[in-house]
């Protein structure tokens, strides 16, 4: 891709093209509605660009192959939906503990279980944060347009490489299948980041010793550096340990490297929030309806605004706390039974009234539904 391109794209297609822009060279996946178009498009495009595409036997093997490819130095991605995302949880924990960069795209559909494959949902928000076991940091991003699908896929790769963590991109079925005209960025227009490589002699290399930013440089397997990889809790050399002090230090570093990056990672957008007394909080396709609802409420004289979340985890607490003492009410609009709503209650600690407008059963989120609920109290 040499210059800007105006094209008609589907959200899932934008994810695939964003991954190529970010330098992805390995994809392994198993087809599942409503994410299949990502794998379908990459099965043709990725080999043409010299990368490797593999259709695996299931979602567990897909993520396992991606983690292995990443350890060998590749930028790797898989894509799935609810049931497949559930199968991947153990390996998401492995990737977190072993600090393996990888991008996992979950195009959310109505669940639980096989649910309704073609209906939209945002029911996997808490699973992205807490689906795997043990204390671990995670990054989860989202998008509300085709253009953002492209942009946030590039960001997902950048965060994964910079912080050595699995990054989850959560988009809902409506955005995944939405078609819009977008202008794709020219090569070099968006920043593309790569993992830091070790610069010391191999005999000095400690694969899990944090650098000044808490993120260890990462050698590719076979690159001349000894790199032991295990899911067991380990020391700086990657060797298993049960020493509580060593475990404390390594676990603290996992969280600390993320904490240092909160300012970069926690992405939000504000719309008419400066004087807002009521702020709608939304993400994904409901954010598009929430923005129109804000316009309708403003036309009626209500001081309403929208805080759009582009990062879901770490939860962008600071973006909400900016309105403490200013906004009187937060109203969360989402397609589940209140997963971000409860997080907003937790962060608010009674400093603002919290309402909700929910669409948890696969129905479309209309601006009229949101505006009507806000006028009525949004509860």
């Amino acid at each position: 891709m040499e210059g800007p391109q105006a094209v008609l794209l589907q959200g899932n297609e934008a994810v695939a093209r964003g991954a190529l822009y970010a330098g992805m060279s390995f994809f392994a996946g198993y087809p599942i509605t409503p994410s299949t178009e990502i794998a379908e498009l990459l099965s043709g495009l990725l080999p043409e660009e010299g990368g490797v595409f593999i259709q695996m036997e299931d979602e567990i093997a897909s993520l396992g192959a991606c983690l292995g490819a990443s350890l060998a130095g590749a930028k790797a991605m898989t894509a799935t939906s609810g049931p497949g995302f559930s199968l991947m949880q153990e390996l998401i924990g492995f990737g977190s503990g072993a600090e393996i960069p990888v991008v996992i795209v979950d195009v959310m559909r109505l669940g639980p279980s096989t649910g309704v494959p073609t209906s939209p949902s945002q029911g996997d928000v808490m699973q992205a944060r807490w689906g795997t076991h043990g204390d671990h940091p995670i990054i989860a991003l989202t998008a509300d347009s085709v253009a953002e699908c492209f942009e946030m896929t590039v960001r997902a790769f950048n965060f994964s490489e910079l912080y050595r963590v699995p990054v989850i991109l959560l988009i809902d079925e409506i955005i995944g299948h939405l078609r819009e005209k977008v202008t794709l960025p020219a090569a070099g227009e968006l920043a593309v980041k790569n993992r830091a490589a070790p610069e010391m002699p191999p005999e000095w290399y400690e694969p899990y010793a944090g650098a000044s930013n808490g993120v260890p440089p990462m050698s590719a397997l076979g690159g001349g550096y000894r790199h032991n990889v295990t899911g067991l809790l380990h020391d700086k050399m990657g060797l298993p340990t049960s020493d509580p002090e060593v475990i404390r230090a390594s676990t603290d570093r996992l969280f600390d490297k993320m904490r240092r990056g909160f300012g970069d990672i926690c992405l939000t957008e504000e719309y008419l929030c400066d004087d807002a007394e009521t702020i709608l909080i939304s993400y994904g396709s409901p954010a598009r309806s929430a923005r129109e609802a804000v316009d309708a409420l403003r036309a009626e004289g209500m001081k309403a605004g929208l805080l759009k979340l582009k990062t879901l985890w770490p939860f962008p607490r600071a973006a909400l706390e900016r309105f403490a003492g200013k906004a009187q009410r937060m109203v969360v609009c989402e397609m589940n039974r209140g997963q971000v709503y409860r997080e907003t209650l937790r962060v608010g600690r009674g400093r603002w009234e919290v309402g909700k407008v929910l669409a948890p059963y696969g129905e479309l989120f209309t601006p009229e539904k949101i505006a009507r609920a806000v006028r009525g109290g949004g509860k």
Side-chain angles (χ1 to χ4, degrees), residues 354-367:
V354 183
K356 58 189 175 185
V357 189
L358 308 178
Y361 308 119
E363 66 269 43
L364 297 178
F365 229 125
T366 64

Side-chain angles (χ1 to χ4, degrees), residues 195-230:
R195 65 192 71 172
E199 297 178 347
M200 68 287 288
E203 61 272 24
W204 293 359
Y205 180 55
E206 297 175 320
Y208 295 98
S212 59
N213 63 354
V215 185
M218 186 173 179
S219 67
L221 294 181
Y225 288 80
R226 183 179 182 276
H227 188 170
N228 191 55
V229 180
T230 176

Side-chain angles (χ1 to χ4, degrees), residues 92-108:
I92 290 174
F94 179 78
S96 298
E99 298 183 72
I100 306 172
V102 70
V103 173
I104 302 146
V105 182
D106 174 17
V107 185
M108 295 180 284

